[in-house]
Amino acid sequence: MASKEGNNDAQLKATLINCNLNANDANDFAEFEETLAKIDSILQGKGPCEDDSKAGGDAKEKINFDNLDVDNVRLKVKENRTVINKKSLDEDNVNQVKEMNQQSFMEQVEKDANDRAEARAKAEYEAELQRSQGNEAFRSQKYEKAILHYDKAILKVKDSAITYCNRALCYIKLQNYKRALKDCQFVLEKLQETHLRAWLYQAHAYKGLKQDDKFEKSVAKAREHNPKQVAYIDKYIKQLEAEV
C-alpha cells in the first residue's frame, strides 16, 4: 500500500515538473493534494480515525445527522418539559388553593361568630326594653298591653324562659288558661325542664281548668326539680287555693 502511494506521489511530481513547475513547487503542491486526499478519506469514513476506533474495540455508533429529525427532538423535549412544569404548577396551585380556602374558611367562621354575637347582643337589648315595658304594664294591671310587649320581646329573643313565663301569668290573670299552658309547656319542654315558675304557673292553669290531677302532678314536679324551694312552693299553692 505504501509502495503504491509512493509511486502515485512520484508520478504526480513528474507531471507537475513537466508542467513547467520547479521541484520545490511541485513538492508543495503534491503534499497539498495528499492532505486533501486524507481529509476526503476521513470525511468518507475510510481514514485512520475509523481504523483506530475499530482497533480499540470501543467504536461508538455513529449518528446519522442527515436523517436526524431536529424538530421532533425539540418537540419531545418541549413536551416533556411542559408535562413536568404543568405537574409542578398544578401541585403548587392545589396547595395554594387549599391554603387560601382554609384561611378564608377560618376568617369566615370568625366573622360569622362575631356577627352572630353582635346580632344576639342587639336582640337581647331590644328584648329587654320590651320586657321592661311589659312588666310596667303588668304592674298597672294592663295585662293585654303587657302581652303585646312580651310578644315583641319574644320576636327578638325566642329562648327567654322569663318572657314566656311573664306572658303566661298575664294569660292566667285574663283567665286564658289554655294559652297560659302553651307558654309553660314550651318552657318546660324546649328551654328548661326545672324552671320553677313554669311548673307553678302550669299548676295554676290546670287549677283554673279544674284539672286537679294535673294540678297535683305539676306541684309534685315543681317540688321534685326544686327541692330547695319547697317553702316558696307551699306558700304559692296556699295563696292559689285561697283565691280559688
Side-chain angles (χ1 to χ4, degrees), residues 110-124:
E110 183 178 0
K111 182 179 182 300
D112 290 344
N114 292 335
D115 290 345
R116 286 194 300 271
E118 183 178 351
R120 175 73 183 189
K122 181 180 179 181
E124 287 181 347

Side-chain angles (χ1 to χ4, degrees), residues 136-147:
E136 184 177 349
F138 179 86
R139 286 190 291 268
S140 300
Q141 298 184 356
K142 298 178 181 179
Y143 304 122
E144 292 180 350
K145 183 178 180 180
I147 288 174

